[in-house]
Amino acid sequence: MSVLPPAAPSDALLSAADRIVVEHLCVDYHGTVALHDASLRVRAGSICGLVGMNGAGKSTLFKALMGFVRPSRGSITINGASLNQARRDQSVAYVPQMESVDWNFPVDVANVVMMGRYGRMNPLRIPRPSDHRAVQDSLERVDLWPLRHRQIGQLSGGQRKRAFVARALAQGASVLLLDEPFNGVDIRTECLLVDLFEAFRNDGRTLLISTHDMAHVRGFCDQVVLINKTVLAYGETSEVFTEENLARTFGGLTVEG
């Protein structure tokens, strides 16, 4: 288990197995601190749960990993490369909470997934045969290929989640950031998503999953990051996911699950 403040590793000590490395990250919005001195590592080919209260900094961490916000201090490396290089390589894909999506936008499922290929296309964004194959493969993997021509807003909540997972898969990213993927889904979709995430891990991908469901963390997350305006602890779930650490994470509240 790693608990802050961790020793700052030298570049020579960074393991090739560390897919995500965050060192002493600070993010503030107009003088309000959203994340302070946060450090963590997530190894390649693992599922890592990101756990904390609402407002604890989970979304800010995701935004920093995607390059959507500029940290005031600290560093991020993905696959041993800078965040800018990782973005150019399309190494990181983000699956947002569904509440942030405009479901009335006139686009069908296949074209939503094709958006994951944009970073690999020329400026005219004309899909190549390889792009169409990637879209089909991704939709088949999430069991949505028969619905590829349906407008995205006509899907059920669980189907919408799977469509955005397919978009991330089509992108070919080695790191997937998933923001509350189990919210508002039925049991069938929940089980299907768990199976998909475990298959992605077996493919060698790394998943960082924000979740309030403690049973999911215990059930299939190899690692966990506990966050409350900073990273309180991170590491193997069996070592980090303790009552003491959860009490620190949730301000002394009892957490069941």
Side-chain angles (χ1 to χ4, degrees), residues 98 141-144 155-165 180-197 216 220:
M98 297 295 98
R141 196 159 186 186
V142 302
D143 197 24
L144 283 181
L155 300 184
S156 69
Q159 290 168 340
R160 294 174 182 180
K161 291 277 180 73
R162 284 186 276 148
F164 276 81
V165 170
E180 299 291 349
F182 300 109
N183 275 7
V185 302
D186 56 31
I187 293 298
R188 176 182 177 276
T189 296
E190 182 177 322
C191 293
L192 190 150
L193 287 175
V194 169
D195 289 345
L196 281 172
F197 297 161
H216 283 141
F220 70 89

Short mmCIF file of all heavy atoms in Angstrom, two decimals, residues 98 141-144 155-165 180-197 216 220:
data_model
loop_
_atom_site.label_atom_id
_atom_site.label_comp_id
_atom_site.label_asym_id
_atom_site.label_seq_id
_atom_site.Cartn_x
_atom_site.Cartn_y
_atom_site.Cartn_z
N MET A 98 -23.24 9.71 -18.35
CA MET A 98 -24.22 9.88 -19.41
C MET A 98 -25.00 11.19 -19.29
O MET A 98 -25.54 11.69 -20.27
CB MET A 98 -25.19 8.70 -19.41
CG MET A 98 -24.52 7.36 -19.71
SD MET A 98 -23.81 7.24 -21.38
CE MET A 98 -22.07 7.62 -21.09
N ARG A 141 -18.29 -6.27 -30.19
CA ARG A 141 -17.78 -6.68 -28.88
C ARG A 141 -18.70 -6.25 -27.74
O ARG A 141 -18.76 -6.93 -26.73
CB ARG A 141 -16.38 -6.10 -28.68
CG ARG A 141 -15.62 -6.76 -27.56
CD ARG A 141 -14.15 -6.56 -27.67
NE ARG A 141 -13.45 -7.32 -26.65
CZ ARG A 141 -12.15 -7.25 -26.45
NH1 ARG A 141 -11.39 -6.46 -27.19
NH2 ARG A 141 -11.58 -7.98 -25.51
N VAL A 142 -19.41 -5.14 -27.92
CA VAL A 142 -20.34 -4.68 -26.88
C VAL A 142 -21.79 -5.07 -27.21
O VAL A 142 -22.72 -4.59 -26.57
CB VAL A 142 -20.24 -3.16 -26.65
CG1 VAL A 142 -18.83 -2.76 -26.28
CG2 VAL A 142 -20.72 -2.37 -27.87
N ASP A 143 -21.96 -5.92 -28.22
CA ASP A 143 -23.27 -6.47 -28.58
C ASP A 143 -24.24 -5.38 -29.05
O ASP A 143 -25.42 -5.40 -28.70
CB ASP A 143 -23.86 -7.23 -27.39
CG ASP A 143 -25.00 -8.16 -27.80
OD1 ASP A 143 -25.05 -8.55 -28.98
OD2 ASP A 143 -25.85 -8.47 -26.94
N LEU A 144 -23.74 -4.43 -29.88
CA LEU A 144 -24.60 -3.37 -30.40
C LEU A 144 -24.58 -3.27 -31.93
O LEU A 144 -25.19 -2.36 -32.48
CB LEU A 144 -24.17 -2.00 -29.82
CG LEU A 144 -24.57 -1.69 -28.39
CD1 LEU A 144 -24.07 -0.29 -28.01
CD2 LEU A 144 -26.08 -1.77 -28.19
N LEU A 155 -31.51 4.70 -27.77
CA LEU A 155 -31.03 3.54 -27.03
C LEU A 155 -31.45 3.62 -25.57
O LEU A 155 -31.71 4.70 -25.04
CB LEU A 155 -29.51 3.45 -27.10
CG LEU A 155 -28.85 3.32 -28.47
CD1 LEU A 155 -27.34 3.14 -28.30
CD2 LEU A 155 -29.44 2.16 -29.26
N SER A 156 -31.47 2.48 -24.92
CA SER A 156 -31.69 2.45 -23.48
C SER A 156 -30.45 2.98 -22.76
O SER A 156 -29.38 3.14 -23.37
CB SER A 156 -31.98 1.02 -23.01
OG SER A 156 -30.81 0.22 -23.13
N GLY A 157 -30.58 3.23 -21.47
CA GLY A 157 -29.44 3.73 -20.70
C GLY A 157 -28.23 2.82 -20.77
O GLY A 157 -27.10 3.27 -20.96
N GLY A 158 -28.47 1.53 -20.62
CA GLY A 158 -27.36 0.57 -20.67
C GLY A 158 -26.73 0.49 -22.05
O GLY A 158 -25.51 0.37 -22.18
N GLN A 159 -27.56 0.56 -23.09
CA GLN A 159 -27.04 0.53 -24.45
C GLN A 159 -26.20 1.77 -24.76
O GLN A 159 -25.18 1.69 -25.44
CB GLN A 159 -28.20 0.41 -25.44
CG GLN A 159 -28.89 -0.94 -25.42
CD GLN A 159 -30.19 -0.95 -26.19
OE1 GLN A 159 -30.79 0.10 -26.44
NE2 GLN A 159 -30.64 -2.14 -26.55
N ARG A 160 -26.61 2.92 -24.23
CA ARG A 160 -25.83 4.14 -24.41
C ARG A 160 -24.45 4.00 -23.78
O ARG A 160 -23.44 4.41 -24.38
CB ARG A 160 -26.57 5.34 -23.80
CG ARG A 160 -27.86 5.70 -24.49
CD ARG A 160 -28.61 6.79 -23.72
NE ARG A 160 -29.87 7.13 -24.35
CZ ARG A 160 -30.71 8.04 -23.88
NH1 ARG A 160 -30.42 8.69 -22.76
NH2 ARG A 160 -31.85 8.30 -24.50
N LYS A 161 -24.40 3.43 -22.59
CA LYS A 161 -23.11 3.22 -21.94
C LYS A 161 -22.22 2.35 -22.82
O LYS A 161 -21.03 2.64 -23.02
CB LYS A 161 -23.31 2.54 -20.58
CG LYS A 161 -23.97 3.40 -19.52
CD LYS A 161 -22.99 4.29 -18.83
CE LYS A 161 -23.67 5.15 -17.77
NZ LYS A 161 -24.09 4.41 -16.58
N ARG A 162 -22.80 1.28 -23.35
CA ARG A 162 -22.01 0.36 -24.17
C ARG A 162 -21.54 1.04 -25.45
O ARG A 162 -20.44 0.75 -25.94
CB ARG A 162 -22.83 -0.89 -24.48
CG ARG A 162 -22.92 -1.84 -23.29
CD ARG A 162 -23.60 -3.13 -23.68
NE ARG A 162 -25.04 -3.03 -23.64
CZ ARG A 162 -25.88 -3.70 -24.43
NH1 ARG A 162 -25.41 -4.49 -25.39
NH2 ARG A 162 -27.18 -3.57 -24.30
N ALA A 163 -22.35 1.93 -26.01
CA ALA A 163 -21.95 2.65 -27.22
C ALA A 163 -20.70 3.50 -26.95
O ALA A 163 -19.78 3.55 -27.78
CB ALA A 163 -23.09 3.51 -27.73
N PHE A 164 -20.65 4.15 -25.81
CA PHE A 164 -19.49 4.98 -25.51
C PHE A 164 -18.27 4.14 -25.13
O PHE A 164 -17.14 4.55 -25.37
CB PHE A 164 -19.85 6.01 -24.43
CG PHE A 164 -20.51 7.23 -24.99
CD1 PHE A 164 -21.86 7.23 -25.29
CD2 PHE A 164 -19.78 8.37 -25.27
CE1 PHE A 164 -22.48 8.33 -25.84
CE2 PHE A 164 -20.38 9.49 -25.82
CZ PHE A 164 -21.74 9.48 -26.11
N VAL A 165 -18.50 2.98 -24.54
CA VAL A 165 -17.39 2.06 -24.32
C VAL A 165 -16.84 1.60 -25.67
O VAL A 165 -15.62 1.51 -25.87
CB VAL A 165 -17.83 0.86 -23.46
CG1 VAL A 165 -16.76 -0.22 -23.44
CG2 VAL A 165 -18.14 1.31 -22.03
N GLU A 180 -18.17 6.62 -13.54
CA GLU A 180 -19.42 6.03 -13.04
C GLU A 180 -20.13 5.19 -14.12
O GLU A 180 -21.30 5.43 -14.44
CB GLU A 180 -20.35 7.12 -12.52
CG GLU A 180 -19.79 7.92 -11.37
CD GLU A 180 -19.67 7.12 -10.07
OE1 GLU A 180 -20.22 6.00 -10.01
OE2 GLU A 180 -19.03 7.62 -9.13
N PRO A 181 -19.46 4.19 -14.68
CA PRO A 181 -20.08 3.44 -15.79
C PRO A 181 -21.27 2.59 -15.38
O PRO A 181 -22.05 2.18 -16.25
CB PRO A 181 -18.92 2.55 -16.28
CG PRO A 181 -18.04 2.38 -15.08
CD PRO A 181 -18.11 3.70 -14.36
N PHE A 182 -21.46 2.31 -14.07
CA PHE A 182 -22.55 1.44 -13.65
C PHE A 182 -23.79 2.20 -13.21
O PHE A 182 -24.81 1.57 -12.88
CB PHE A 182 -22.07 0.53 -12.51
CG PHE A 182 -20.91 -0.34 -12.89
CD1 PHE A 182 -19.65 -0.10 -12.39
CD2 PHE A 182 -21.08 -1.40 -13.77
CE1 PHE A 182 -18.57 -0.90 -12.73
CE2 PHE A 182 -20.01 -2.21 -14.13
CZ PHE A 182 -18.75 -1.95 -13.62
N ASN A 183 -23.73 3.53 -13.20
CA ASN A 183 -24.91 4.31 -12.79
C ASN A 183 -26.05 4.13 -13.77
O ASN A 183 -25.89 4.30 -14.98
CB ASN A 183 -24.55 5.79 -12.70
CG ASN A 183 -23.96 6.16 -11.35
OD1 ASN A 183 -23.69 5.31 -10.51
ND2 ASN A 183 -23.74 7.44 -11.13
N GLY A 184 -27.23 3.79 -13.25
CA GLY A 184 -28.44 3.75 -14.07
C GLY A 184 -28.54 2.63 -15.06
O GLY A 184 -29.29 2.75 -16.03
N VAL A 185 -27.80 1.54 -14.85
CA VAL A 185 -27.89 0.42 -15.79
C VAL A 185 -28.58 -0.76 -15.12
O VAL A 185 -28.59 -0.90 -13.90
CB VAL A 185 -26.49 -0.01 -16.30
CG1 VAL A 185 -25.78 1.14 -16.98
CG2 VAL A 185 -25.62 -0.58 -15.17
N ASP A 186 -29.17 -1.62 -15.95
CA ASP A 186 -29.83 -2.81 -15.42
C ASP A 186 -28.79 -3.89 -15.13
O ASP A 186 -27.61 -3.77 -15.46
CB ASP A 186 -30.91 -3.31 -16.38
CG ASP A 186 -30.38 -3.61 -17.78
OD1 ASP A 186 -29.20 -3.99 -17.90
OD2 ASP A 186 -31.12 -3.43 -18.76
N ILE A 187 -29.25 -4.95 -14.49
CA ILE A 187 -28.34 -6.02 -14.06
C ILE A 187 -27.65 -6.67 -15.26
O ILE A 187 -26.45 -6.97 -15.21
CB ILE A 187 -29.10 -7.09 -13.25
CG1 ILE A 187 -29.58 -6.50 -11.92
CG2 ILE A 187 -28.20 -8.30 -12.99
CD1 ILE A 187 -28.46 -6.04 -11.00
N ARG A 188 -28.40 -6.88 -16.36
CA ARG A 188 -27.80 -7.50 -17.54
C ARG A 188 -26.65 -6.66 -18.06
O ARG A 188 -25.57 -7.18 -18.36
CB ARG A 188 -28.85 -7.70 -18.64
CG ARG A 188 -28.27 -8.26 -19.93
CD ARG A 188 -29.32 -8.40 -21.02
NE ARG A 188 -28.73 -8.88 -22.27
CZ ARG A 188 -28.15 -8.11 -23.17
NH1 ARG A 188 -28.06 -6.79 -22.96
NH2 ARG A 188 -27.63 -8.62 -24.28
N THR A 189 -26.86 -5.33 -18.17
CA THR A 189 -25.81 -4.46 -18.67
C THR A 189 -24.65 -4.40 -17.70
O THR A 189 -23.48 -4.38 -18.10
CB THR A 189 -26.37 -3.04 -18.92
OG1 THR A 189 -27.35 -3.11 -19.95
CG2 THR A 189 -25.27 -2.08 -19.35
N GLU A 190 -24.95 -4.38 -16.40
CA GLU A 190 -23.88 -4.36 -15.40
C GLU A 190 -22.99 -5.57 -15.55
O GLU A 190 -21.75 -5.45 -15.55
CB GLU A 190 -24.50 -4.31 -14.01
CG GLU A 190 -23.50 -4.25 -12.88
CD GLU A 190 -24.16 -4.14 -11.52
OE1 GLU A 190 -25.19 -3.44 -11.41
OE2 GLU A 190 -23.65 -4.76 -10.57
N CYS A 191 -23.58 -6.74 -15.69
CA CYS A 191 -22.80 -7.97 -15.84
C CYS A 191 -22.01 -7.96 -17.14
O CYS A 191 -20.84 -8.38 -17.17
CB CYS A 191 -23.71 -9.20 -15.79
SG CYS A 191 -24.50 -9.47 -14.19
N LEU A 192 -22.64 -7.46 -18.21
CA LEU A 192 -21.94 -7.38 -19.49
C LEU A 192 -20.75 -6.44 -19.41
O LEU A 192 -19.67 -6.74 -19.92
CB LEU A 192 -22.91 -6.93 -20.58
CG LEU A 192 -22.44 -7.02 -22.04
CD1 LEU A 192 -23.62 -7.28 -22.96
CD2 LEU A 192 -21.70 -5.77 -22.49
N LEU A 193 -20.93 -5.29 -18.73
CA LEU A 193 -19.82 -4.34 -18.59
C LEU A 193 -18.68 -4.94 -17.78
O LEU A 193 -17.51 -4.78 -18.14
CB LEU A 193 -20.32 -3.05 -17.94
CG LEU A 193 -21.19 -2.13 -18.80
CD1 LEU A 193 -21.70 -0.96 -17.97
CD2 LEU A 193 -20.43 -1.62 -20.01
N VAL A 194 -19.01 -5.62 -16.70
CA VAL A 194 -17.96 -6.25 -15.89
C VAL A 194 -17.18 -7.25 -16.74
O VAL A 194 -15.94 -7.28 -16.71
CB VAL A 194 -18.56 -6.94 -14.65
CG1 VAL A 194 -17.51 -7.81 -13.96
CG2 VAL A 194 -19.10 -5.90 -13.67
N ASP A 195 -17.89 -8.06 -17.52
CA ASP A 195 -17.21 -9.03 -18.39
C ASP A 195 -16.33 -8.32 -19.41
O ASP A 195 -15.20 -8.76 -19.69
CB ASP A 195 -18.24 -9.90 -19.11
CG ASP A 195 -18.94 -10.90 -18.19
OD1 ASP A 195 -18.43 -11.11 -17.06
OD2 ASP A 195 -19.99 -11.44 -18.59
N LEU A 196 -16.84 -7.22 -19.99
CA LEU A 196 -16.05 -6.45 -20.96
C LEU A 196 -14.79 -5.89 -20.31
O LEU A 196 -13.69 -5.98 -20.87
CB LEU A 196 -16.89 -5.32 -21.53
CG LEU A 196 -17.89 -5.65 -22.63
CD1 LEU A 196 -18.76 -4.44 -22.93
CD2 LEU A 196 -17.16 -6.09 -23.90
N PHE A 197 -14.94 -5.30 -19.13
CA PHE A 197 -13.79 -4.68 -18.48
C PHE A 197 -12.73 -5.72 -18.14
O PHE A 197 -11.52 -5.47 -18.29
CB PHE A 197 -14.24 -3.94 -17.22
CG PHE A 197 -15.17 -2.78 -17.48
CD1 PHE A 197 -15.97 -2.28 -16.47
CD2 PHE A 197 -15.27 -2.21 -18.74
CE1 PHE A 197 -16.83 -1.22 -16.70
CE2 PHE A 197 -16.14 -1.15 -18.99
CZ PHE A 197 -16.92 -0.66 -17.96
N HIS A 216 -18.28 -3.51 -6.30
CA HIS A 216 -17.51 -3.62 -7.53
C HIS A 216 -16.01 -3.51 -7.26
O HIS A 216 -15.20 -4.24 -7.85
CB HIS A 216 -17.91 -2.52 -8.52
CG HIS A 216 -19.21 -2.79 -9.21
ND1 HIS A 216 -20.13 -1.81 -9.46
CD2 HIS A 216 -19.75 -3.94 -9.69
CE1 HIS A 216 -21.18 -2.34 -10.07
NE2 HIS A 216 -20.97 -3.63 -10.22
N PHE A 220 -13.86 -6.89 -8.47
CA PHE A 220 -13.04 -7.11 -9.66
C PHE A 220 -11.93 -6.08 -9.87
O PHE A 220 -11.22 -6.15 -10.87
CB PHE A 220 -13.92 -7.18 -10.91
CG PHE A 220 -14.55 -5.90 -11.33
CD1 PHE A 220 -13.90 -5.02 -12.20
CD2 PHE A 220 -15.80 -5.54 -10.87
CE1 PHE A 220 -14.49 -3.84 -12.59
CE2 PHE A 220 -16.40 -4.36 -11.26
CZ PHE A 220 -15.73 -3.50 -12.13
#
